[in-house]
Amino acid sequence: AQKITQTQPGMFVQEKEAVTLDCTYDTSDQSYGLFWYKQPSSGEMIFLIYQGSYDEQNATEGRYSLNFQKARKSANLVISASQLGDSAMYFCAMREAVQGAQKLVFGQGTRLTINP
Amino acid sequence: EAGVVQSPRYKIIEKKQPVAFWCNPISGHNTLYWYLQNLGQGPELLIRYENEEAVDDSQLPKDRFSAERLKGVDSTLKIQPAELGDSAVYLCASSWGGSSYNEQFFGPGTRLTVL
């Protein structure tokens, strides 16, 4: 079973609009962490935002916010006021303990294209 | 502060040839990761080091892949012999256990093409 599911292979959004990228996860752990990374065409993965499973508040980092719905096991990324530079692949990832070690598992990603 | 450095950025080899990738993590980061990223997929962990010790290599195909991190700083990932299916991007990442989120910082990757 997929640990991380990103159901949107591609998204197209007009510049300055807000966009939500979906992510659902599957775990039986009580303690876990959720990350979003951005991967531009240059290849490096850029850390955007983190949400801990015990955090009561949704995480925010500038224009990025994470809509964390624990009961639904979803951790959607919201980008407000999108910019042309936001065009990239976006990956949701979950950190969980596997055999005593912390492991980061990634989804398949969503390609976001911002149109001028 | 310098980020994670990887070299080479691109490598083209013929099948059955050996190839090696190098990674220098962020200074002070004790944990180092090698990931494989196939086209259109998310990264998948190959091996994780805590200092010089490989603590998770369960996903590393040990018949042809090897890795080392001799002094607990930089690391080398080797494939010998390479196969067509090894064409992918190999990402290196590092993290510091003392950070708030233990987030991983990634290098730009090495794009391998096996002909």
Side-chain angles (χ1 to χ4, degrees):
Chain A
Q2 287 282 349
K3 288 281 188 177
I4 297 287
T5 303
Q6 295 181 251
T7 58
Q8 307 151 310
M11 289 277 288
F12 295 85
V13 174
Q14 285 298 119
E15 189 180 7
K16 300 181 184 178
E17 289 185 353
V19 56
T20 298
L21 305 182
D22 295 340
C23 172
T24 57
Y25 59 92
D26 181 24
T27 183
S28 56
D29 287 355
Q30 295 301 310
S31 177
Y32 53 89
L34 297 156
F35 297 79
W36 277 92
Y37 281 85
K38 172 184 179 181
Q39 188 177 40
S41 56
S42 54
E44 76 276 22
M45 301 278 284
I46 302 168
F47 165 69
L48 295 177
I49 196 166
Y50 170 82
Q51 180 85 40
S53 58
Y54 294 118
D55 295 341
E56 295 184 354
Q57 301 286 335
N58 284 342
T60 59
E61 288 286 349
R63 293 187 299 113
Y64 304 109
S65 60
L66 201 151
N67 184 0
F68 182 47
Q69 298 188 42
K70 195 170 182 177
R72 294 186 176 183
K73 293 188 175 179
S74 75
N76 299 339
L77 176 71
V78 180
I79 306 174
S80 63
S82 58
Q83 302 171 357
L84 295 178
D86 294 334
S87 294
M89 284 290 290
Y90 288 79
F91 291 95
C92 179
M94 178 173 63
R95 183 183 63 216
E96 59 175 1
V98 177
Q99 296 179 337
Q102 296 289 320
K103 201 158 190 170
L104 199 60
V105 178
F106 287 84
Q108 293 197 322
T110 296
R111 181 172 297 280
L112 176 63
T113 302
I114 307 299
N115 296 315
Chain B
E1 179 182 301
V4 176
V5 179
Q6 289 188 249
S7 68
R9 289 295 314 276
Y10 304 91
K11 189 73 177 179
I12 301 173
I13 61 171
E14 295 190 345
K15 62 180 181 182
K16 301 184 182 181
Q17 293 299 306
V19 65
F21 315 125
W22 178 79
C23 171
N24 194 31
I26 292 173
S27 177
H29 283 195
N30 57 321
T31 307
L32 184 146
Y33 314 77
W34 282 103
Y35 287 88
L36 165 70
Q37 186 177 21
N38 286 307
L39 187 64
Q41 304 287 322
E44 299 174 32
L45 182 69
L46 288 172
I47 189 168
R48 177 170 71 97
Y49 282 93
E50 295 287 346
N51 300 305
E52 64 273 10
E53 182 182 0
V55 296
D56 183 359
D57 62 356
S58 57
Q59 302 302 311
L60 190 72
K62 298 181 184 64
D63 57 336
R64 296 184 301 107
F65 286 66
S66 64
E68 60 183 16
R69 192 185 185 198
L70 293 176
K71 296 182 179 179
V73 181
D74 58 341
S75 174
T76 303
L77 177 69
K78 298 179 182 177
I79 309 174
Q80 183 170 9
E83 296 179 352
L84 295 176
D86 296 332
S87 295
V89 175
Y90 292 83
L91 292 165
C92 179
S94 68
S95 67
W96 175 55
S99 67
S100 300
Y101 311 141
N102 198 22
E103 69 270 31
Q104 297 179 24
F105 294 85
F106 285 78
T110 296
R111 183 177 296 277
L112 174 67
T113 302
V114 182
L115 303 176

